[in-house]
């Protein structure tokens, strides 16, 4: 069942809050607890829906130009990027959010879905994904175009990420089996570090290289697991109220 559930993290636990207007899965998002965007997704068809979070509720705003799911995003409610995804084909589509509408811009070099990303509209990373095989591809966004850079050590799809172009994390995913792999980006390359406590794919995450959260996902069943990253390791903390991926 596709969901519109929204939950807020207080620093120690999750609380349900105002739901999305459009029920959907495999969407992307960016921003923070006060101002955020959700975009794309799937619910019986590919979606271009974009919603803005005001801190207390969601409101529908200007659509993506290309409806898709399994995409990634980064940035904030004023300036954001959406990239990759899938419809009937794997996509390299990149769109820039101006604060009120989306405009297509330079494509990813490698079309893919189920990828992750982090950073902002001027400096961003895209990594991992799937396009008939599991990918370790990493690309850097300069503000106007993507360039391939050092690969992930472990090719995977359905991973999550957080941080910025100089210091980032990638974690979890699927590569024939669910993985807990965590890698740190130094600005030029990835290095493996402490694994997730719960191996899983199709999870989400937020934060930075010193303090991060991973939550939700799938590992033969829907999970509500939440883990906190301390800068060196993961520790399980309070679960989501609704297990999902």
């Amino acid at each position: 069942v596709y969901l519109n559930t929204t939950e807020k993290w207080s620093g120690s636990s999750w609380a349900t809050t105002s739901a999305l207007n459009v029920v959907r899965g495999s969407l992307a998002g960016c921003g923070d607890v006060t101002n955020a965007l959700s975009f794309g997704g799937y619910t019986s068809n590919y979606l271009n829906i974009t919603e803005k979070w005001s801190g207390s509720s969601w409101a529908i705003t200007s659509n993506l130009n290309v409806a898709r799911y399994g995409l990634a995003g980064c940035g904030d409610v004023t300036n954001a990027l959406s990239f990759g995804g899938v419809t009937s084909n794997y996509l390299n589509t990149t769109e820039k959010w101006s604060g009120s509408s989306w405009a297509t811009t330079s494509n990813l070099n490698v079309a893919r879905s189920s990828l992750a990303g982090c950073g902002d509209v001027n400096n961003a990373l895209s990594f991992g994904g799937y396009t008939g095989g599991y990918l370790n591809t990493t690309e850097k966004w300069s503000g106007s175009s993507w360039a391939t850079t050092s690969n992930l050590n472990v090719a995977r799809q359905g991973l999550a990420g957080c941080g910025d172009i100089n210091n980032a994390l990638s974690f979890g995913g699927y590569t024939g089996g669910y993985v807990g792999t965590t890698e740190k980006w130094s600005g030029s390359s990835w290095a493996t570090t402490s694994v997730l406590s719960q191996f899983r794919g199709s999870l989400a995450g937020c934060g930075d290289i010193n303090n991060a959260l991973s939550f939700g996902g799938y590992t033969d069943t829907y999970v509500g697991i939440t883990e906190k990253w301390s800068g060196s390791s993961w520790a399980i903390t309070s679960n989501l109220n609704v297990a999902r991926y």
Side-chain angles (χ1 to χ4, degrees):
V1 175
Y2 297 106
L3 302 174
N4 58 2
T5 306
T6 304
E7 299 188 38
K8 251 191 201 179
W9 176 256
S10 66
S12 59
S13 63
W14 293 99
T16 52
T17 184
S18 305
L20 289 163
N21 291 283
V22 179
V23 171
R24 50 203 157 124
S26 300
L27 68 164
C30 63
D32 59 38
V33 77
T34 305
N35 293 283
L37 289 178
S38 64
F39 38 93
Y42 189 88
T43 175
S44 77
N45 211 341
Y46 322 121
L47 298 175
N48 56 7
I49 299 290
T50 302
E51 299 190 40
K52 260 192 194 175
W53 174 256
S54 66
S56 59
S57 62
W58 294 99
I60 292 174
T61 183
S62 305
N63 289 343
L64 289 165
N65 291 284
V66 179
R68 52 209 153 112
Y69 70 100
L71 69 168
C74 64
D76 58 42
V77 78
T78 305
N79 293 283
L81 286 180
S82 64
F83 39 95
V86 64
T87 54
S88 53
N89 298 298
Y90 297 104
L91 301 175
N92 56 6
T93 306
T94 303
E95 300 190 38
K96 246 190 207 180
W97 174 257
S98 67
S100 58
S101 62
W102 294 99
T104 53
T105 183
S106 305
N107 289 338
L108 288 164
N109 291 283
V110 179
R112 49 203 156 119
S113 71
S114 302
L115 69 166
C118 63
D120 60 42
V121 77
N122 296 312
N123 294 283
L125 288 177
S126 63
F127 39 94
Y130 187 86
T131 177
Y134 311 117
L135 298 175
N136 57 7
T137 305
T138 302
E139 300 190 38
K140 263 191 191 174
W141 174 256
S142 67
S144 59
S145 63
W146 293 100
T148 53
T149 183
S150 305
N151 289 342
L152 289 165
N153 292 285
V154 179
R156 48 209 154 111
Q157 67 169 29
L159 70 169
C162 64
D164 59 41
I165 199 167
N166 296 312
N167 293 284
L169 285 179
S170 64
F171 39 94
Y174 183 82
T175 177
Y178 299 102
V179 298
T181 305
T182 303
E183 301 189 38
K184 260 191 195 176
W185 174 256
S186 66
S188 58
S189 63
W190 294 100
T192 54
T193 183
S194 305
V195 299
L196 289 165
S197 303
Q198 173 69 63
F199 289 17
R200 52 208 152 113
S202 301
L203 70 166
C206 63
D208 59 41
I209 199 166
N210 296 312
N211 293 283
L213 287 179
S214 65
F215 42 96
Y218 190 86
T219 175
D220 300 324
T221 189
Y222 320 119
V223 297
I225 298 289
T226 302
E227 299 188 40
K228 265 192 191 173
W229 174 257
S230 66
S232 59
S233 62
W234 293 100
I236 291 175
T237 183
S238 305
N239 285 350
L240 289 164
N241 291 286
V242 179
R244 55 199 196 271
Y245 72 94

